[in-house]
Amino acid sequence: MKLNYLLFILGVLLPLSLLNGMPDTTELNVSENVPGTWISPGDNSESDFKWNASWIWTAPDESKHVMLARKTFQYNENNTDAILRITASDRYQLYVNGTYVCRGPARSVPHHQSYDILDITKLLVQGENILAVRVHQQQEKKSYQYEGRAGLLAQLNSLSADGVSVLVSDSNWKVLPDPSWSDDAPRISRFQDFVCDRVDFREYPANWKTLGYDDSYWQDAIELMRNVGWPAPQKDDISNAYTPPWTSLLPRDIPYLNEKDIRAELLLAELIVEDTYTKPEIKDLNDIPLAEKIPGRDKKYHKAVSDSKPYVIAKNKQGESTVIIFDFGEVVIGMPKLEIEGAEGTVIDIMCAPYILEENFTHKIVDTRAMDRITLSGNIDKWEATYFKPTRYMAVAIRNNPEKLRLHYAGIHEIAYPFTSKGMVISPEAPWLEQYWKASEKTVNVCTTDGFTDNYRERRQYAQTGYYAALGTYWTFGDYDLQRKYLIQVAQEQMPNGIMPAYAPSAGSDYMV
């Protein structure tokens, strides 16, 4: 899906008077207890902040694409204003005292690395506390100037009677290459670096995000040193926050995304399908015909599932698998999420699709393969995908289920740019124009996370598409922050010979100019 044609008319026909004010650009709640600050360019409120933290990762010989990191610390109730600044090379998920806070950072290139500013004061308690962070490193080149590099950077400043107390990411943090994660996780498509999960919960360190977890067997974090440049890196080099490729750190300059859980309530179908299931290479299921199922949508899942009563799925015969398909009623952008209990070693495929094509369910749409795979531990496993998928229909396939399985929760953890509708056009002589407007508004919503992207396929931020998207975004929502950001990112990727990319940030070496 491209925005160009659908949004073109909005920049041509609609007057400025349709807008009712402009958006605030200072602070937006990340969650009820965690305010997050973002700063527009030209605001110098962060100019006096000093980074004392170092970038950290696991030992090179034990490295994987996913790192788990923990840091316990003491917090005095007399301390105030506990402000955490945090970023990571690609995608982090932050937990404070076991409570999920948010994911980030905003998309950026490493030589202009974006970091988040979060007030976590209300999540801290008197005495011992725990910061826990999961980080995924995407592969491939991340900008024309620098190759990608794995890393996590965090610094917690709080005020006390004695001044400012500072906690930094350094070698005192405990880290672990996630043993449940497979580095063979495939890309969602060849046009993006995002990957589908491949997680084995038999290897997952349960409760690692909580204070009481024993991390004594985890390794000490490695502080990352300069590994490029002249003169050559020296043994006595000192690690710091400006270690290449992260030569510039910039506070987040767009609003934080809204996040919420959406429970799957409408069961479209429960099917038994033939399955030539063989290990270790488990082939994808074929497209699933639904011609006879769509008219009679089944609400028994909503009726059956509660906090105390899971949805029970019977065991399969040899050569068969069970597939249950949910309908969210509209396209939701977010991460599929399950709480599921089954026999140890049972393989679950979670497949997402924005629409059903020719009465067949398939997760293979427009060069995209939106299928995560998890292997159950035998206990209740709680899973959320690392990266988002555009989802109206979500299928959960239990591959050759050897015994009854209990599904305690199924849903989507939605992420959404905080648009607020402000503009509208009404024309009694041309009612199609209002319909066009509403379609454009919906299109912008489903094609926006932290940038204007084609969430169905590429997720690259093309400058041309961004131009048309910005027209619709401005006239409909009064928002220009994403427009500004993508223009700045394009400029940041300009090469010495003047060539500039058609999207930003860059990914890989095969770029359009």
Side-chain angles (χ1 to χ4, degrees), residues 11 29 111 127 131 140 208 210 263 276 288 336 338 341 349 381 402 408 415 447 475 496:
N29 281 345
H111 53 293
L131 292 178
E140 305 297 337
W208 71 274
T210 61
R263 180 190 286 267
T276 55
I288 301 168
L338 295 181
E341 179 183 12
D349 287 349
D381 296 314
H408 296 271
I415 55 175
C447 290
W475 293 115

Side-chain angles (χ1 to χ4, degrees), residues 239-507:
S239 63
N240 60 73
Y242 299 98
T243 296
W246 306 289
T247 52
S248 179
L249 298 170
L250 303 174
R252 185 185 185 101
D253 60 352
I254 59 171
Y256 290 90
L257 303 182
N258 293 332
E259 300 189 35
K260 68 178 180 180
D261 285 336
I262 301 177
R263 180 190 286 267
E265 296 183 346
L266 184 62
L267 183 64
L268 182 65
E270 179 176 337
L271 305 166
I272 304 298
V273 299
E274 293 184 4
D275 190 354
T276 55
Y277 173 100
T278 55
K279 292 182 178 181
E281 293 295 330
I282 304 174
K283 295 182 179 179
D284 291 2
L285 288 173
N286 295 324
D287 295 352
I288 301 168
L290 292 172
E292 298 178 0
K293 295 293 180 180
I294 293 178
R297 297 183 177 186
D298 194 340
K299 295 184 178 180
K300 66 180 180 180
Y301 175 75
H302 175 57
K303 294 178 181 178
V305 175
S306 66
D307 293 337
S308 59
K309 185 178 180 182
Y311 186 75
V312 178
I313 300 165
K315 67 180 182 179
N316 296 124
K317 298 178 181 178
Q318 186 66 32
E320 293 181 342
S321 289
T322 299
V323 179
I324 52 178
I325 303 176
F326 301 105
D327 181 1
F328 289 90
E330 63 180 357
V331 175
V332 178
I333 304 298
M335 288 66 63
K337 186 172 182 177
L338 295 181
E339 186 173 337
I340 191 167
E341 179 183 12
E344 180 181 354
T346 301
V347 173
I348 309 294
D349 287 349
I350 304 93
M351 300 172 285
C352 296
Y355 50 81
I356 288 176
L357 189 63
E358 296 178 348
E359 298 185 323
N360 289 305
F361 175 87
T362 179
H363 66 282
K364 305 171 185 177
I365 295 178
V366 199
D367 197 63
T368 296
R369 303 291 185 270
M371 188 197 77
D372 299 298
R373 175 171 290 163
I374 63 176
T375 303
L376 303 186
S377 67
N379 302 309
I380 297 178
D381 296 314
K382 296 181 180 181
W383 167 81
E384 181 180 306
T386 304
Y387 293 103
F388 67 84
K389 287 90 181 170
T391 305
R392 172 169 176 172
Y393 302 96
M394 183 176 78
V396 179
I398 301 94
R399 310 294 296 272
N400 286 82
N401 186 28
E403 61 183 52
K404 285 184 179 180
L405 181 141
R406 293 171 174 81
L407 186 59
H408 296 271
Y409 178 89
I412 296 289
H413 186 77
E414 183 187 40
I415 55 175
Y417 189 86
F419 284 128
T420 301
S421 295
K422 294 186 176 182
M424 177 50 66
V425 59
I426 299 175
S427 174
E429 294 78 13
W432 64 269
L433 190 58
E434 183 179 355
Q435 296 173 344
Y436 201 96
W437 180 290
K438 291 180 179 179
S440 299
E441 180 177 350
K442 185 173 183 179
T443 300
V444 171
N445 267 308
V446 299
C447 290
T448 305
T449 49
D450 58 347
F452 298 125
T453 62
D454 180 352
N455 290 335
Y456 291 77
R457 181 171 181 254
E458 300 192 25
R459 302 190 189 176
R460 290 178 174 178
Q461 195 170 217
Y462 287 92
Q464 182 190 23
T465 299
Y467 168 71
Y468 292 108
L471 297 177
T473 303
Y474 179 75
W475 293 115
T476 307
F477 304 112
D479 183 278
Y480 54 82
D481 297 304
L482 289 175
Q483 164 87 348
R484 178 197 66 234
K485 183 175 180 63
Y486 98 80
L487 287 173
I488 291 173
Q489 285 182 301
V490 172
Q492 288 169 346
E493 287 297 88
Q494 187 170 17
M495 300 178 72
N497 62 5
I499 289 178
M500 300 178 76
Y503 56 85
S506 62

Side-chain angles (χ1 to χ4, degrees), residues 64-65 90 136-142 187 193 508:
K64 295 186 73 171
H65 297 169
D90 290 296
H136 177 257
Q137 177 210 5
Q138 297 171 7
Q139 301 305 293
E140 305 297 337
K141 192 172 182 177
K142 286 291 172 279
R187 287 186 179 186
D193 295 331

